[in-house]
């Protein structure tokens, strides 16, 4: 498994559409940025890239490149998904926090979750969307997003050893396997506790 973490922030700006999690949201202002300013997708993109040590969103899509002016941020996400697949991983789950004074995210959190899950090709149950207001942070004109992602290997987990037994000999062999990890004697035959209590301090 691999873990990734992402952060992003964009300032609110009048006269541009507000796009968060790939969704257009009714609001008086949008987010300023070279692309569509989708703060949530940018944080998720960075978490995915970070999880496979593939750099960050700026490595792949530098703001100096005119191709990404006004770009829809799902393009960035798709590149990050390709990177994790190439590295041999898929998304196990992700969790996110949005911090902004307005608009209120809670009423649309369900829709946001569906939108992000769709873009990532995962189930909504694999996506966490949480929202906070920036109490005491003096950043009411800013939208902030944090994302954590857990990846799992695309390789099949090693199959469990067969534990079927038909003869008495087989049964003994299976019991040997089952008790092998739970013996309470050391290699020298000394009685050892099931765990070392010193390690728990
Ligand atoms: Mg950004």
């Amino acid at each position: 498994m691999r873990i990734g973490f992402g952060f992003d922030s964009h300032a609110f700006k009048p006269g541009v559409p507000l796009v968060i999690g790939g969704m257009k949201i009714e609001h008086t202002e949008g987010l300023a940025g070279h692309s569509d300013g989708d703060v949530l997708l940018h944080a998720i993109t960075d978490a995915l890239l970070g999880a496979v040590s593939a750099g960050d969103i700026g490595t792949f899509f530098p703001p100096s490149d005119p191709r990404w002016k006004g770009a829809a941020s799902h393009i960035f996400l798709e590149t990050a998904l390709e990177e994790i697949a190439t590295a041999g991983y898929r998304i196990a789950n992700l969790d996110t926090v949005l911090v902004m004074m307005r608009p209120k995210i809670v009423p649309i959190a369900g829709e946001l979750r569906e939108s992000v899950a769709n873009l990532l090709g995962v189930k909504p149950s694999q996506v966490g969307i949480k929202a906070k207001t920036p109490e005491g942070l003096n950043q009411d004109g800013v939208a902030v997003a944090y994302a954590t992602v857990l990846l799992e290997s695309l390789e099949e987990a090693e199959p469990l050893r067969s534990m079927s037994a038909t003869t008495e000999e087989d049964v003994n062999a299976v019991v040997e396997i089952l008790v092998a990890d739970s013996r309470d004697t050391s290699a020298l035959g000394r009685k050892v506790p099931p765990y070392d209590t010193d390690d728990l301090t």
Side-chain angles (χ1 to χ4, degrees), residues 2-199:
R2 310 272 301 198
I3 193 165
F5 176 67
F7 163 88
D8 196 32
S9 65
H10 284 264
F12 279 99
K13 176 186 171 186
V16 292
L18 178 61
V19 182
I20 298 177
M23 260 176 62
K24 279 222 168 84
I25 297 168
E26 272 309 311
H27 192 53
T28 52
E29 298 179 307
L31 294 172
H34 189 64
S35 65
D36 63 6
D38 194 327
V39 68
L40 181 58
L41 293 194
H42 295 180
I44 295 171
T45 300
D46 262 0
L48 290 168
L49 292 172
V52 292
S53 299
D56 64 17
I57 198 167
T59 317
F60 288 84
F61 307 100
S64 54
D65 191 329
R67 276 183 301 169
W68 316 123
K69 182 148 180 53
S73 295
H74 66 81
I75 296 168
F76 309 152
L77 205 59
E78 280 153 24
T79 297
L81 287 174
E82 279 171 27
E83 285 297 314
I84 67 160
T86 304
Y89 290 89
R90 67 177 161 230
I91 294 170
N93 77 301
L94 68 148
D95 193 16
T96 65
V97 183
L98 281 164
V99 187
M100 63 190 73
M101 191 53 100
R102 60 189 75 80
K104 290 287 175 213
I105 296 299
V106 171
I108 57 163
E111 270 181 275
L112 265 180
R113 200 165 71 125
E114 297 244 345
S115 174
V116 170
N118 261 336
L119 292 171
L120 291 171
V122 299
K123 289 180 253 162
S125 61
Q126 291 169 282
V127 179
I129 303 275
K130 308 195 299 301
K132 311 284 284 182
T133 49
E135 303 292 334
L137 291 176
N138 197 24
Q139 57 180 44
D140 292 4
V142 178
V144 171
Y146 302 88
T148 307
V149 62
L150 184 70
L151 306 183
E152 59 191 0
S153 173
L154 284 167
E155 282 172 36
E156 289 295 317
E158 208 177 297
L160 290 173
R161 275 178 294 186
S162 169
M163 292 218 179
S164 61
T166 48
T167 67
E168 196 179 334
E169 253 176 34
D170 284 349
V171 171
N172 286 340
V174 169
V175 171
E176 279 286 312
I177 292 168
L178 288 173
V179 301
D181 294 333
S182 58
R183 287 215 172 98
D184 61 356
T185 49
S186 73
L188 295 172
R190 286 179 301 188
K191 191 92 174 157
V192 292
Y195 52 83
D196 183 351
T197 50
D198 287 345
D199 287 345

